[in-house]
Amino acid sequence: MTDEALHTAYLGLGSNLGDAEENIHTACRLVAERIGEIKQQSDIYRTEPWGFQSDNAFANAVICIETTMKPHDLLSATQQIERHMGRTEKTSYRNGKARYQDRIIDIDILLYDDLTIDEPDLKIPHPLMQQRDFVMTPLRQLTNGQSTCECRVVGLSEADAK
């Protein structure tokens, strides 16, 4: 469901299967087609997996979008994009502990206007974003006005040196 007002949302994108950088670009194209206009896009940051072991490094980015979708509809739309791109499983939980795995694409809602939502299926702001440099570094790039229309690929340690 949509409303007439435009809302600003920040989405975190991550991939570590296949051509991870191309997966980020594909997700951006699908977000623009299905959800709303991308106003800003961070660089793509190459990072090691967080919360699990894998031989596959991640490509991570953050985008700022304008959308008429309400938060739950935005969540549904991002999950549809993940499934469209081939993601079959979300993070599972055992004994209250998250079990992460390799993924072709992950799209997280980080922020939505100035809303705070704490529901079982939707939490905004994203509850773990402050713990994740691979989220906070590209998010700061956008919120500090350092974004450009060109998307570079950088390592996270290189970005920290800025």
Side-chain angles (χ1 to χ4, degrees):
M1 174 162 245
T2 63
D3 59 30
E4 296 300 316
L6 278 177
H7 303 281
T8 299
Y10 289 85
L11 305 179
L13 310 172
S15 174
N16 77 329
L17 291 177
D19 186 338
E21 292 163 24
E22 183 56 33
N23 293 339
I24 297 294
H25 292 298
T26 298
C28 288
R29 284 191 297 276
L30 292 170
V31 165
E33 290 171 11
R34 299 177 181 190
I35 296 175
E37 182 181 355
I38 297 176
K39 303 302 283 183
Q40 294 178 291
Q41 178 179 342
S42 74
D43 292 328
I44 295 176
Y45 292 85
R46 297 299 298 197
T47 63
E48 293 302 313
W50 184 92
F52 73 106
Q53 297 293 317
S54 175
D55 292 334
N56 303 314
F58 271 84
N60 294 287
V62 171
I63 57 175
C64 174
I65 64 167
E66 282 187 343
T67 184
T68 57
M69 290 184 176
K70 294 182 179 181
H72 283 89
D73 299 317
L74 176 59
L75 176 63
S76 178
T78 60
Q79 290 172 339
Q80 288 174 6
I81 290 170
E82 289 175 336
R83 285 190 299 275
H84 174 82
M85 290 183 62
R87 183 154 184 194
T88 56
E89 296 182 36
K90 291 294 281 181
T91 300
S92 61
Y93 294 85
R94 181 185 293 166
N95 300 324
K97 185 170 170 95
R99 294 174 43 117
Y100 300 105
Q101 58 197 6
D102 292 323
R103 60 206 71 156
I104 193 162
I105 193 67
D106 185 35
I107 305 173
D108 291 329
I109 303 171
L110 305 175
L111 301 166
Y112 181 100
D113 290 338
D114 59 356
L115 288 183
T116 298
I117 299 174
D118 188 4
E119 297 176 4
D121 64 331
L122 181 60
K123 298 189 184 315
I124 300 173
H126 190 286
L128 297 175
M129 69 183 206
Q130 296 286 338
Q131 299 172 29
R132 298 172 170 176
D133 287 342
F134 64 86
V135 172
M136 296 307 296
T137 299
L139 181 61
R140 277 198 256 354
Q141 182 186 10
L142 300 187
T143 59
N144 289 340
Q146 298 174 5
S147 69
T148 65
C149 292
E150 294 181 23
C151 185
R152 299 177 302 134
V153 177
V154 296
L156 195 53
S157 59
E158 178 184 336
D160 290 338
K162 290 182 180 179

Short mmCIF file of all heavy atoms in Angstrom, two decimals, residues 97-143:
data_model
loop_
_atom_site.label_atom_id
_atom_site.label_comp_id
_atom_site.label_asym_id
_atom_site.label_seq_id
_atom_site.Cartn_x
_atom_site.Cartn_y
_atom_site.Cartn_z
N LYS A 97 19.82 -17.16 18.92
CA LYS A 97 21.06 -16.69 18.28
C LYS A 97 20.91 -16.77 16.76
O LYS A 97 20.48 -17.78 16.21
CB LYS A 97 22.24 -17.55 18.75
CG LYS A 97 23.57 -17.07 18.23
CD LYS A 97 24.69 -17.81 18.91
CE LYS A 97 25.99 -17.51 18.25
NZ LYS A 97 26.74 -16.47 18.85
N ALA A 98 21.30 -15.69 16.10
CA ALA A 98 21.20 -15.63 14.64
C ALA A 98 22.21 -16.57 14.00
O ALA A 98 23.34 -16.70 14.46
CB ALA A 98 21.45 -14.20 14.16
N ARG A 99 21.77 -17.22 12.92
CA ARG A 99 22.63 -18.10 12.12
C ARG A 99 22.68 -17.51 10.72
O ARG A 99 21.73 -17.64 9.96
CB ARG A 99 22.09 -19.51 12.11
CG ARG A 99 22.13 -20.17 13.49
CD ARG A 99 21.46 -21.52 13.46
NE ARG A 99 21.83 -22.26 12.28
CZ ARG A 99 22.49 -23.40 12.27
NH1 ARG A 99 22.83 -23.96 13.39
NH2 ARG A 99 22.78 -24.01 11.14
N TYR A 100 23.79 -16.84 10.41
CA TYR A 100 23.96 -16.19 9.12
C TYR A 100 24.55 -17.16 8.11
O TYR A 100 25.17 -18.16 8.48
CB TYR A 100 24.88 -14.97 9.26
CG TYR A 100 24.33 -13.93 10.20
CD1 TYR A 100 24.86 -13.77 11.48
CD2 TYR A 100 23.29 -13.10 9.82
CE1 TYR A 100 24.36 -12.81 12.34
CE2 TYR A 100 22.78 -12.15 10.68
CZ TYR A 100 23.32 -12.01 11.95
OH TYR A 100 22.82 -11.07 12.80
N GLN A 101 24.39 -16.83 6.83
CA GLN A 101 24.90 -17.67 5.77
C GLN A 101 25.21 -16.83 4.54
O GLN A 101 24.80 -15.67 4.46
CB GLN A 101 23.89 -18.76 5.42
CG GLN A 101 22.55 -18.19 5.00
CD GLN A 101 21.44 -19.23 5.08
OE1 GLN A 101 21.65 -20.34 5.54
NE2 GLN A 101 20.27 -18.87 4.63
N ASP A 102 25.94 -17.44 3.60
CA ASP A 102 26.21 -16.77 2.33
C ASP A 102 24.88 -16.41 1.68
O ASP A 102 23.88 -17.11 1.85
CB ASP A 102 27.00 -17.68 1.39
CG ASP A 102 28.41 -17.95 1.88
OD1 ASP A 102 29.04 -17.04 2.43
OD2 ASP A 102 28.87 -19.09 1.70
N ARG A 103 24.89 -15.30 0.92
CA ARG A 103 23.63 -14.88 0.27
C ARG A 103 23.92 -14.14 -1.02
O ARG A 103 24.91 -13.42 -1.13
CB ARG A 103 22.80 -14.02 1.20
CG ARG A 103 23.52 -12.76 1.63
CD ARG A 103 23.05 -12.24 2.93
NE ARG A 103 23.51 -13.13 3.98
CZ ARG A 103 23.67 -12.80 5.23
NH1 ARG A 103 23.40 -11.61 5.64
NH2 ARG A 103 24.10 -13.66 6.11
N ILE A 104 23.03 -14.34 -1.98
CA ILE A 104 23.16 -13.64 -3.25
C ILE A 104 22.81 -12.17 -3.08
O ILE A 104 23.41 -11.31 -3.71
CB ILE A 104 22.31 -14.31 -4.36
CG1 ILE A 104 22.72 -13.74 -5.72
CG2 ILE A 104 20.83 -14.17 -4.11
CD1 ILE A 104 22.31 -14.59 -6.89
N ILE A 105 21.86 -11.88 -2.21
CA ILE A 105 21.50 -10.49 -1.92
C ILE A 105 20.81 -10.43 -0.57
O ILE A 105 20.10 -11.37 -0.19
CB ILE A 105 20.60 -9.87 -3.03
CG1 ILE A 105 20.50 -8.34 -2.87
CG2 ILE A 105 19.22 -10.51 -3.01
CD1 ILE A 105 21.79 -7.59 -3.12
N ASP A 106 21.07 -9.37 0.13
CA ASP A 106 20.39 -9.07 1.39
C ASP A 106 20.04 -7.60 1.33
O ASP A 106 20.91 -6.77 1.02
CB ASP A 106 21.31 -9.37 2.58
CG ASP A 106 20.62 -9.20 3.92
OD1 ASP A 106 19.41 -9.49 4.00
OD2 ASP A 106 21.28 -8.78 4.88
N ILE A 107 18.79 -7.27 1.59
CA ILE A 107 18.36 -5.87 1.59
C ILE A 107 17.72 -5.61 2.94
O ILE A 107 16.71 -6.23 3.29
CB ILE A 107 17.36 -5.58 0.46
CG1 ILE A 107 17.93 -5.97 -0.90
CG2 ILE A 107 16.97 -4.09 0.49
CD1 ILE A 107 16.94 -5.85 -2.06
N ASP A 108 18.31 -4.71 3.71
CA ASP A 108 17.80 -4.36 5.03
C ASP A 108 17.31 -2.92 5.03
O ASP A 108 17.98 -2.03 4.48
CB ASP A 108 18.90 -4.48 6.10
CG ASP A 108 19.32 -5.91 6.36
OD1 ASP A 108 18.46 -6.82 6.23
OD2 ASP A 108 20.48 -6.13 6.71
N ILE A 109 16.18 -2.70 5.68
CA ILE A 109 15.72 -1.33 5.91
C ILE A 109 16.47 -0.82 7.14
O ILE A 109 16.32 -1.36 8.23
CB ILE A 109 14.20 -1.27 6.16
CG1 ILE A 109 13.43 -1.88 4.99
CG2 ILE A 109 13.76 0.18 6.43
CD1 ILE A 109 11.94 -2.06 5.25
N LEU A 110 17.29 0.19 6.94
CA LEU A 110 18.08 0.75 8.03
C LEU A 110 17.31 1.85 8.75
O LEU A 110 17.22 1.86 9.98
CB LEU A 110 19.41 1.29 7.51
CG LEU A 110 20.27 0.31 6.72
CD1 LEU A 110 21.49 1.01 6.15
CD2 LEU A 110 20.66 -0.88 7.58
N LEU A 111 16.79 2.78 7.97
CA LEU A 111 16.06 3.94 8.50
C LEU A 111 14.87 4.23 7.59
O LEU A 111 14.94 3.98 6.37
CB LEU A 111 16.96 5.18 8.55
CG LEU A 111 18.23 5.08 9.39
CD1 LEU A 111 19.17 6.23 9.07
CD2 LEU A 111 17.88 5.06 10.87
N TYR A 112 13.81 4.78 8.16
CA TYR A 112 12.63 5.18 7.39
C TYR A 112 12.11 6.45 8.04
O TYR A 112 11.60 6.41 9.18
CB TYR A 112 11.58 4.07 7.42
CG TYR A 112 10.33 4.36 6.63
CD1 TYR A 112 10.15 3.82 5.36
CD2 TYR A 112 9.33 5.17 7.15
CE1 TYR A 112 9.01 4.07 4.63
CE2 TYR A 112 8.18 5.43 6.42
CZ TYR A 112 8.02 4.87 5.17
OH TYR A 112 6.89 5.13 4.45
N ASP A 113 12.27 7.57 7.33
CA ASP A 113 11.95 8.88 7.92
C ASP A 113 12.55 8.93 9.32
O ASP A 113 13.69 8.53 9.50
CB ASP A 113 10.44 9.14 7.91
CG ASP A 113 9.88 9.37 6.51
OD1 ASP A 113 10.66 9.74 5.60
OD2 ASP A 113 8.67 9.18 6.31
N ASP A 114 11.79 9.40 10.28
CA ASP A 114 12.29 9.41 11.65
C ASP A 114 11.51 8.41 12.52
O ASP A 114 11.46 8.54 13.74
CB ASP A 114 12.23 10.82 12.25
CG ASP A 114 10.82 11.39 12.27
OD1 ASP A 114 9.90 10.73 11.75
OD2 ASP A 114 10.64 12.49 12.81
N LEU A 115 10.96 7.40 11.87
CA LEU A 115 10.14 6.41 12.56
C LEU A 115 10.98 5.44 13.38
O LEU A 115 12.10 5.09 13.01
CB LEU A 115 9.32 5.59 11.57
CG LEU A 115 8.15 6.26 10.89
CD1 LEU A 115 7.44 5.25 9.99
CD2 LEU A 115 7.18 6.84 11.90
N THR A 116 10.38 4.99 14.48
CA THR A 116 10.89 3.87 15.25
C THR A 116 9.79 2.82 15.26
O THR A 116 8.66 3.11 15.65
CB THR A 116 11.24 4.28 16.69
OG1 THR A 116 12.26 5.28 16.64
CG2 THR A 116 11.72 3.10 17.51
N ILE A 117 10.12 1.63 14.79
CA ILE A 117 9.17 0.52 14.76
C ILE A 117 9.84 -0.66 15.43
O ILE A 117 10.98 -1.01 15.11
CB ILE A 117 8.77 0.14 13.31
CG1 ILE A 117 8.09 1.33 12.62
CG2 ILE A 117 7.88 -1.09 13.29
CD1 ILE A 117 7.80 1.11 11.15
N ASP A 118 9.14 -1.28 16.38
CA ASP A 118 9.67 -2.45 17.08
C ASP A 118 8.59 -3.52 17.10
O ASP A 118 7.84 -3.66 18.05
CB ASP A 118 10.09 -2.08 18.50
CG ASP A 118 10.81 -3.22 19.20
OD1 ASP A 118 11.07 -4.25 18.56
OD2 ASP A 118 11.13 -3.07 20.39
N GLU A 119 8.53 -4.26 16.01
CA GLU A 119 7.56 -5.34 15.84
C GLU A 119 8.33 -6.61 15.51
O GLU A 119 9.47 -6.53 15.06
CB GLU A 119 6.57 -4.99 14.73
CG GLU A 119 5.74 -3.75 15.06
CD GLU A 119 4.82 -3.33 13.93
OE1 GLU A 119 4.76 -4.03 12.89
OE2 GLU A 119 4.18 -2.28 14.08
N PRO A 120 7.72 -7.77 15.72
CA PRO A 120 8.47 -9.02 15.47
C PRO A 120 9.05 -9.12 14.05
O PRO A 120 10.16 -9.61 13.88
CB PRO A 120 7.41 -10.11 15.70
CG PRO A 120 6.44 -9.49 16.65
CD PRO A 120 6.39 -8.02 16.28
N ASP A 121 8.33 -8.63 13.04
CA ASP A 121 8.80 -8.78 11.67
C ASP A 121 9.49 -7.54 11.10
O ASP A 121 10.01 -7.58 10.00
CB ASP A 121 7.63 -9.18 10.75
CG ASP A 121 6.56 -8.09 10.67
OD1 ASP A 121 6.40 -7.33 11.65
OD2 ASP A 121 5.89 -8.01 9.63
N LEU A 122 9.48 -6.44 11.85
CA LEU A 122 10.06 -5.21 11.33
C LEU A 122 10.58 -4.35 12.48
O LEU A 122 9.83 -4.00 13.39
CB LEU A 122 9.02 -4.42 10.52
CG LEU A 122 9.49 -3.11 9.90
CD1 LEU A 122 10.64 -3.35 8.92
CD2 LEU A 122 8.33 -2.43 9.18
N LYS A 123 11.86 -4.03 12.40
CA LYS A 123 12.49 -3.17 13.41
C LYS A 123 13.23 -2.05 12.70
O LYS A 123 14.12 -2.30 11.91
CB LYS A 123 13.44 -3.98 14.29
CG LYS A 123 12.71 -5.07 15.07
CD LYS A 123 13.58 -5.72 16.10
CE LYS A 123 12.91 -6.86 16.82
NZ LYS A 123 11.57 -6.68 17.27
N ILE A 124 12.81 -0.83 12.97
CA ILE A 124 13.44 0.36 12.39
C ILE A 124 13.66 1.35 13.54
O ILE A 124 12.72 1.60 14.29
CB ILE A 124 12.54 1.01 11.31
CG1 ILE A 124 12.27 0.04 10.15
CG2 ILE A 124 13.15 2.31 10.80
CD1 ILE A 124 11.27 0.54 9.13
N PRO A 125 14.87 1.88 13.67
CA PRO A 125 16.09 1.62 12.91
C PRO A 125 16.53 0.16 13.05
O PRO A 125 16.19 -0.51 14.02
CB PRO A 125 17.13 2.56 13.52
CG PRO A 125 16.39 3.53 14.38
CD PRO A 125 15.10 2.88 14.71
N HIS A 126 17.30 -0.30 12.06
CA HIS A 126 17.80 -1.67 12.09
C HIS A 126 18.56 -1.88 13.40
O HIS A 126 19.46 -1.10 13.73
CB HIS A 126 18.71 -1.93 10.89
CG HIS A 126 19.06 -3.37 10.72
ND1 HIS A 126 19.96 -4.01 11.54
CD2 HIS A 126 18.63 -4.29 9.83
CE1 HIS A 126 20.07 -5.27 11.17
NE2 HIS A 126 19.28 -5.47 10.13
N PRO A 127 18.20 -2.90 14.18
CA PRO A 127 18.76 -3.03 15.54
C PRO A 127 20.25 -3.30 15.63
O PRO A 127 20.86 -3.04 16.66
CB PRO A 127 17.95 -4.19 16.13
CG PRO A 127 17.45 -4.96 14.96
CD PRO A 127 17.25 -3.95 13.86
N LEU A 128 20.87 -3.82 14.57
CA LEU A 128 22.30 -4.15 14.63
C LEU A 128 23.18 -3.21 13.83
O LEU A 128 24.39 -3.40 13.77
CB LEU A 128 22.52 -5.59 14.15
CG LEU A 128 21.85 -6.68 14.98
CD1 LEU A 128 22.04 -8.05 14.33
CD2 LEU A 128 22.36 -6.67 16.40
N MET A 129 22.61 -2.18 13.21
CA MET A 129 23.41 -1.37 12.30
C MET A 129 24.56 -0.66 13.00
O MET A 129 25.63 -0.51 12.42
CB MET A 129 22.55 -0.40 11.51
CG MET A 129 21.93 0.72 12.27
SD MET A 129 20.90 1.68 11.13
CE MET A 129 20.97 3.26 11.97
N GLN A 130 24.39 -0.25 14.25
CA GLN A 130 25.47 0.44 14.97
C GLN A 130 26.67 -0.47 15.21
O GLN A 130 27.78 0.02 15.41
CB GLN A 130 24.95 0.98 16.31
CG GLN A 130 23.88 2.02 16.19
CD GLN A 130 24.40 3.37 15.72
OE1 GLN A 130 25.59 3.66 15.87
NE2 GLN A 130 23.53 4.18 15.17
N GLN A 131 26.46 -1.77 15.19
CA GLN A 131 27.54 -2.73 15.43
C GLN A 131 28.28 -3.12 14.15
O GLN A 131 29.26 -3.86 14.21
CB GLN A 131 26.97 -4.01 16.05
CG GLN A 131 26.29 -3.81 17.37
CD GLN A 131 25.59 -5.07 17.83
OE1 GLN A 131 25.99 -6.18 17.50
NE2 GLN A 131 24.54 -4.91 18.60
N ARG A 132 27.80 -2.65 13.02
CA ARG A 132 28.32 -3.12 11.74
C ARG A 132 28.99 -1.99 10.96
O ARG A 132 28.31 -1.13 10.40
CB ARG A 132 27.17 -3.72 10.91
CG ARG A 132 26.54 -4.92 11.57
CD ARG A 132 25.31 -5.36 10.83
NE ARG A 132 24.82 -6.64 11.32
CZ ARG A 132 23.71 -7.22 10.91
NH1 ARG A 132 22.97 -6.65 9.96
NH2 ARG A 132 23.33 -8.37 11.42
N ASP A 133 30.31 -2.02 10.89
CA ASP A 133 31.03 -1.00 10.13
C ASP A 133 30.62 -1.03 8.66
O ASP A 133 30.58 0.00 8.00
CB ASP A 133 32.54 -1.21 10.23
CG ASP A 133 33.09 -0.82 11.59
OD1 ASP A 133 32.41 -0.09 12.33
OD2 ASP A 133 34.20 -1.27 11.92
N PHE A 134 30.30 -2.23 8.14
CA PHE A 134 29.93 -2.34 6.73
C PHE A 134 28.59 -1.67 6.44
O PHE A 134 28.24 -1.47 5.28
CB PHE A 134 29.95 -3.79 6.25
CG PHE A 134 28.94 -4.70 6.91
CD1 PHE A 134 27.64 -4.79 6.43
CD2 PHE A 134 29.30 -5.47 8.01
CE1 PHE A 134 26.72 -5.63 7.03
CE2 PHE A 134 28.39 -6.31 8.61
CZ PHE A 134 27.09 -6.39 8.13
N VAL A 135 27.84 -1.32 7.47
CA VAL A 135 26.61 -0.53 7.32
C VAL A 135 26.90 0.93 7.63
O VAL A 135 26.53 1.83 6.87
CB VAL A 135 25.49 -1.05 8.25
CG1 VAL A 135 24.29 -0.10 8.24
CG2 VAL A 135 25.07 -2.45 7.85
N MET A 136 27.56 1.18 8.74
CA MET A 136 27.74 2.56 9.21
C MET A 136 28.67 3.37 8.32
O MET A 136 28.43 4.57 8.11
CB MET A 136 28.23 2.56 10.66
CG MET A 136 27.24 1.97 11.65
SD MET A 136 25.57 2.70 11.56
CE MET A 136 25.92 4.38 12.05
N THR A 137 29.72 2.76 7.77
CA THR A 137 30.63 3.52 6.91
C THR A 137 29.92 4.02 5.65
O THR A 137 29.97 5.22 5.36
CB THR A 137 31.88 2.69 6.57
OG1 THR A 137 32.56 2.38 7.80
CG2 THR A 137 32.81 3.45 5.64
N PRO A 138 29.22 3.17 4.89
CA PRO A 138 28.51 3.72 3.72
C PRO A 138 27.33 4.62 4.11
O PRO A 138 27.03 5.58 3.40
CB PRO A 138 28.04 2.48 2.96
CG PRO A 138 28.17 1.33 3.89
CD PRO A 138 29.19 1.70 4.91
N LEU A 139 26.68 4.34 5.23
CA LEU A 139 25.59 5.22 5.68
C LEU A 139 26.13 6.61 5.99
O LEU A 139 25.54 7.62 5.60
CB LEU A 139 24.89 4.61 6.89
CG LEU A 139 23.72 5.42 7.46
CD1 LEU A 139 22.61 5.59 6.44
CD2 LEU A 139 23.19 4.73 8.74
N ARG A 140 27.27 6.68 6.68
CA ARG A 140 27.88 7.99 6.97
C ARG A 140 28.27 8.71 5.69
O ARG A 140 28.20 9.93 5.61
CB ARG A 140 29.11 7.82 7.86
CG ARG A 140 28.79 7.70 9.33
CD ARG A 140 29.97 7.98 10.20
NE ARG A 140 30.76 7.04 10.91
CZ ARG A 140 30.63 5.73 11.07
NH1 ARG A 140 29.70 5.08 10.51
NH2 ARG A 140 31.45 5.03 11.80
N GLN A 141 28.72 7.95 4.70
CA GLN A 141 29.08 8.56 3.42
C GLN A 141 27.88 9.32 2.86
O GLN A 141 28.03 10.43 2.33
CB GLN A 141 29.53 7.48 2.43
CG GLN A 141 29.96 8.05 1.10
CD GLN A 141 30.28 6.97 0.07
OE1 GLN A 141 30.01 5.79 0.28
NE2 GLN A 141 30.85 7.39 -1.04
N LEU A 142 26.68 8.77 2.98
CA LEU A 142 25.49 9.43 2.46
C LEU A 142 25.01 10.56 3.35
O LEU A 142 24.66 11.63 2.87
CB LEU A 142 24.35 8.41 2.27
CG LEU A 142 24.62 7.26 1.32
CD1 LEU A 142 23.36 6.45 1.11
CD2 LEU A 142 25.18 7.74 0.00
N THR A 143 24.98 10.33 4.64
CA THR A 143 24.43 11.33 5.55
C THR A 143 25.39 12.49 5.78
O THR A 143 24.97 13.56 6.20
CB THR A 143 24.01 10.71 6.89
OG1 THR A 143 25.14 10.09 7.50
CG2 THR A 143 22.90 9.69 6.68
#
